[in-house]
Amino acid sequence: MANIKLENLTKRFGENTVVDRVNIEIPNGTLVSILGPSGCGKTTLLRMIAGFETPDEGSIFFDQDSVVNVPANKRNIGMVFQSYALFPHMTVEENVAYGLQQRKLSKEEIDARVKQVIDTVHMKEFQKRKPKQLSGGQQQRVALARALAISPRLLLLDECLSALDKKLRVEMQTELRKILEESKVTTFFVTHDQEEAMTLSDFIVVMNKGIIEQMGTPLEVYEKPKNKFVASFLGKANFFQSEDGTSFAVRPEKIHLSAEEQAGARQEGVITFITYSGNITSYTIECDGEAVLCEKQNVQIRENLKKGQKVFLRWDKDSEIELADE
Amino acid sequence: MKKKKKLLTFPSIIVLTVFAILPLIIMLVYSFQSDSGSSGVTLENYTNFFLKSVYLKLTYRTIINSLAVTIISLIISYPLAYFMAKKFKGLKNIVMILILIPFFTNQLVRVYSWLIFLQDGGVLNSFLQSVGLIEGSLGILFTQGAVVIGLVHAFFPYMVITIYLALERVDNSLLEASSSLGASKVRTFFQVVLPLSMPGVVTGIMIVFVPCLGTFVEPRILGGVNGTVIGTVIEDQFFEIYGWNFGAAIAFVLFAMVIISMTGLSRIGRRYDNE
Ligand SMILES: Nc1ncnc2c1ncn2[C@@H]1O[C@H](COP(=O)(O)OP(=O)(O)OP(=O)(O)O)[C@@H](O)[C@H]1O
Ligand SMILES: [Mg+2]
């Protein structure tokens, strides 16, 4: 476990600056999601922290120690790869023991630790199997156990859930959260799934084209996105211009719809599209040629709004999110 | 559906029977007949082979030669394949072409090139003399050494390829995983890379050792009178002495050696199979 600090971390591949002056400081024991579109530099950032890529500029601190010149195998970092990267010629047990065997530990210590970690991820009955004989979710657990076994100072997870199907992914998210909270290890979790980032993390770092757009708690980043990119990448947003020319965003669920004219209505338009998805219904409303998205929780079945109908839109002043200029 | 499939395998079964199994049966029949002309089934060819120490010595020499070729090929091939697969990815194609050249060279051309290169007063001889490493003649041609050199050149490319293919399949993320778990490069090599490339190594050993047992061109041309091995004896029996029955018997002994070594090696190979 450690306090992690990234200072002006920069990586270029040829002309291409893939990670651009990234500054992050993470307190001990927190779980941080790195969220961003494909190709924005998430993996590269993680690989620099792990020691597989050398940064062109900047430094990485674990507590007070700069680790830029420390080789990967001396950094004591647990890493879970997107492909899991389990050793195919070793059993579950042997995979989990691997990292411990590189350290000066007695056989008893190793066995005890392996047993403990395998129990944590509920893989006891599979411990004699080879990775090929396991399902994706099970391999995932082994990869996590192997990384946790060495009691790493820092855990790095690179889109490790994205290969699983939706149901299993949600299950694993909850379990992962539980395991990580128990082990109290500082964790970087890369994903491009915003829901996953929200569910799992204490902090979300939103990345785009190598820079950090915003960092904050899920609540902060969702409720107070700094700019258009963050607002639209994390959740859905409608963008409007106010009279003075500044732009602001409103989340779809914060817009109230009514068929009758009402005091304080901000816009009026015609419903062009209705999607019913069980818990919510989404309405697309055309206002002055702009499509506005509005979502209603289906507290009761509402039938009163129909496609083609004229509606009035209203929202509270504090639902308006002011955006920094692009 | 099943019937159709069976029908479709028919032509290949016929081809196999005519070109592989039938000749084997004919050879087998030959091997139990006497070269002296007396008719009837006899074991004399086999007893001749196993009772005469000269043939046992030749068998021994054949095995030792093949082992030497295999080991030297392995020593050359593994590092080459490793660097091609894991280090110099850019140079991979050039190295591959260089390695494949012996494949495309006619066997006789290749062997005679070695003859010219290795002979006393030849290129190697003059070179070694000019740098002062030896005086006088080299004396390597027409020894087992020359045979082994020629065979290594002929067979090691196969081994490079099988090992290279196995190494290519070792995902780099495994090496990174090993390193993040605290293993040094050397330990990563011995605990991850080497075991995972073993199927390729075993296949490579098989692909070099087994055909080496039956070669006769390199031993004859590069080994001269000292080059006699089982392969050359069989060839002599068929083309020089016309002792076809004895020749067939030796060929079957060789065949048995091939089968035994192949089974043994594929047993070992299966141990490393993770599929
Ligand atoms: N070794 C490399 N050499 C050159 N360019 C690279 C290299 N690795 C990554 N890149 C480039 O750097 C950029 C960022 O890559 P990176 O893998 O970090 O993205 P990512 O955010 O992890 O994307 P994804 O979500 O698709 O995994 C990409 O444009 C990629 O093409
Ligand atoms: Mg990535």
Side-chain angles (χ1 to χ4, degrees):
Chain A
M1 273 179 287
N3 217 40
I4 311 297
K5 194 161 115 196
L6 309 183
E7 231 174 56
N8 271 324
L9 207 58
T10 302
K11 179 74 192 176
R12 300 184 196 93
F13 288 118
E15 292 287 282
N16 200 357
T17 306
V18 173
V19 172
D20 197 358
R21 283 161 293 163
V22 162
N23 288 290
I24 305 179
E25 191 166 355
I26 296 159
N28 223 328
T30 25
L31 203 162
V32 179
S33 287
I34 301 174
L35 181 67
S38 189
C40 72
K42 306 182 294 289
T43 299
T44 309
L45 181 63
L46 227 56
R47 291 174 56 79
M48 283 194 281
I49 301 174
F52 303 137
E53 303 279 2
T54 320
D56 290 306
E57 277 164 42
S59 9
I60 303 166
F61 292 96
F62 289 5
D63 295 326
Q64 306 320 317
D65 323 322
S66 168
V67 296
V68 174
N69 295 318
V70 179
N73 64 327
K74 298 271 185 278
R75 289 195 189 184
N76 197 20
I77 288 179
M79 178 132 184
V80 178
F81 294 76
Q82 180 162 4
S83 56
Y84 311 140
L86 294 174
F87 303 124
H89 58 303
M90 299 181 194
T91 62
V92 169
E93 268 180 332
E94 289 164 347
N95 265 283
V96 176
Y98 188 87
L100 300 167
Q101 281 156 0
Q102 315 305 325
R103 289 154 173 76
K104 289 183 183 63
L105 295 171
S106 72
K107 183 154 186 330
E108 290 71 37
E109 285 172 294
I110 293 179
D111 289 347
R113 177 72 182 148
V114 168
K115 187 172 174 305
Q116 180 195 356
V117 185
I118 287 181
D119 279 344
T120 316
V121 298
H122 312 298
M123 285 297 291
K124 192 165 191 304
E125 53 183 310
F126 302 101
Q127 58 186 341
K128 299 284 181 212
R129 292 213 196 161
K130 296 262 178 86
K132 280 265 159 57
Q133 301 161 315
L134 300 174
S135 72
Q138 291 162 345
Q139 292 184 26
Q140 170 68 63
R141 285 159 208 262
V142 180
L144 184 63
R146 186 179 67 176
L148 285 174
I150 58 172
S151 312
R153 288 203 280 184
L154 173 67
L155 187 65
L156 304 174
L157 308 165
D158 191 358
E159 307 212 18
C160 59
L161 299 181
S162 59
L164 307 178
D165 64 59
K166 173 100 186 173
K167 187 163 172 293
L168 189 57
R169 194 159 76 220
V170 173
E171 268 173 42
M172 278 305 290
Q173 280 168 10
T174 329
E175 200 168 319
L176 192 61
R177 171 113 223 193
K178 236 178 7 202
I179 293 170
L180 294 179
E181 269 170 12
E182 261 167 44
S183 58
K184 296 190 181 62
V185 56
T186 314
T187 305
F188 273 95
F189 183 90
V190 161
T191 177
H192 54 231
D193 178 340
Q194 45 128 338
E195 244 176 87
E196 198 163 280
M198 302 275 243
T199 330
L200 277 173
S201 32
D202 300 316
F203 289 103
I204 295 181
V205 172
V206 184
M207 261 184 95
N208 185 27
K209 295 183 187 145
I211 62 161
I212 291 184
E213 297 277 3
Q214 190 170 357
M215 178 175 169
T217 64
L219 188 98
E220 279 166 7
V221 179
Y222 185 80
E223 299 292 346
K224 296 271 170 262
K226 275 189 186 147
N227 55 34
K228 207 164 170 173
F229 176 83
V230 179
S232 56
F233 195 77
L234 208 83
K236 297 168 193 154
N238 297 298
F239 298 101
F240 301 101
Q241 295 277 337
S242 44
E243 275 91 64
D244 57 1
T246 58
S247 57
F248 64 90
V250 182
R251 297 287 187 193
E253 73 277 9
K254 307 233 157 89
I255 299 178
H256 305 283
L257 286 183
S258 62
E260 297 84 38
E261 172 116 47
Q262 51 181 352
R266 305 291 300 262
Q267 301 255 346
E268 60 177 85
V270 174
I271 300 179
T272 56
F273 209 73
I274 301 179
T275 327
Y276 173 76
S277 37
N279 58 338
I280 59 162
T281 304
S282 323
Y283 301 89
T284 309
I285 298 137
E286 189 151 322
C287 307
D288 300 332
E290 299 277 339
V292 175
L293 186 71
C294 167
E295 285 177 358
K296 280 286 144 272
Q297 195 76 34
N298 292 329
V299 181
Q300 66 250 76
I301 308 167
R302 41 175 85 220
E303 303 253 334
N304 55 342
L305 296 174
K306 298 269 181 314
K307 195 170 160 179
Q309 191 177 347
K310 191 172 173 190
V311 285
F312 297 88
L313 287 70
R314 185 177 59 77
W315 57 81
D316 298 337
K317 184 73 190 159
D318 44 351
S319 302
E320 290 181 5
I321 306 160
E322 265 183 65
L323 300 173
D325 284 341
E326 297 282 287
Chain B
M1 193 58 208
K2 261 217 164 126
K3 229 177 189 174
K4 219 173 186 179
K5 259 191 193 158
K6 265 190 191 156
L7 221 64
L8 282 173
T9 56
F10 223 73
S12 53
I13 289 177
I14 290 177
V15 170
L16 257 179
T17 317
V18 172
F19 290 106
I21 299 181
L22 216 57
L24 266 182
I25 293 172
I26 295 172
M27 288 272 284
L28 192 65
V29 171
Y30 265 90
S31 75
F32 287 107
Q33 286 174 348
S34 171
D35 276 320
S36 57
S38 59
S39 61
V41 176
T42 169
L43 279 175
E44 77 174 45
N45 296 322
Y46 290 99
T47 45
N48 248 349
F49 183 90
F50 286 110
L51 291 180
K52 283 196 182 150
S53 67
V54 53
Y55 293 119
L56 292 182
K57 258 189 203 144
L58 284 180
T59 311
Y60 177 73
R61 178 194 275 179
T62 306
I63 293 173
I64 292 296
N65 263 6
S66 304
L67 275 180
V69 173
T70 309
I71 291 167
I72 295 170
S73 295
L74 193 57
I75 292 169
I76 299 174
S77 304
Y78 200 102
L80 213 54
Y82 183 81
F83 283 104
M84 268 162 63
K86 298 284 170 223
K87 299 282 172 196
F88 304 122
K89 295 216 159 136
L91 291 173
K92 181 165 82 183
N93 290 333
I94 301 165
V95 180
M96 191 60 112
I97 289 168
L98 288 179
I99 287 169
L100 286 182
I101 287 175
F103 268 143
F104 301 120
T105 338
N106 177 286
Q107 187 186 26
L108 287 175
V109 173
R110 195 180 61 226
V111 177
Y112 278 110
S113 311
W114 276 111
L115 181 85
I116 292 164
F117 184 73
L118 294 177
Q119 69 190 340
D120 288 344
V123 181
L124 184 61
N125 201 162
S126 324
F127 173 74
L128 290 179
Q129 268 176 337
S130 70
V131 296
L133 273 176
I134 56 164
E135 290 168 33
S137 61
L138 184 60
I140 190 171
L141 192 65
F142 306 130
T143 64
Q144 291 299 330
V147 176
V148 169
I149 290 174
L151 286 173
V152 166
H153 184 218
F155 286 118
F156 91 92
Y158 296 96
M159 206 184 237
V160 175
I161 288 168
T162 58
I163 297 174
Y164 170 78
L165 290 177
L167 284 169
E168 266 279 297
R169 286 178 44 204
V170 177
D171 196 11
N172 276 333
S173 66
L174 293 180
L175 311 190
E176 289 178 352
S178 169
S179 159
S180 77
L181 290 165
S184 65
K185 292 220 164 69
V186 176
R187 295 199 69 158
T188 301
F189 177 79
F190 283 107
Q191 295 178 339
V192 178
V193 181
L194 188 60
L196 288 177
S197 64
M198 276 316 274
V201 172
V202 174
T203 314
I205 290 175
M206 203 186 307
I207 231 169
V208 172
F209 181 74
V210 170
C212 255
L213 291 172
T215 47
F216 57 90
V217 176
E218 283 86 355
R220 171 136 298 153
I221 298 173
L222 298 173
V225 282
N226 298 316
T228 317
V229 284
I230 291 205
T232 57
V233 173
I234 297 173
E235 198 212 2
D236 282 343
Q237 288 296 321
F238 279 92
F239 297 107
E240 305 286 333
I241 308 170
Y242 294 101
W244 284 26
N245 297 318
F246 186 49
I250 309 176
F252 261 93
V253 173
L254 180 63
F255 188 59
M257 282 159 59
V258 167
I259 298 286
I260 290 168
S261 40
M262 280 184 64
T263 346
L265 282 166
S266 55
R267 275 261 171 91
I268 298 172
R270 226 171 299 146
R271 198 178 315 153
Y272 293 102
D273 212 5
N274 308 301
E275 305 303 309

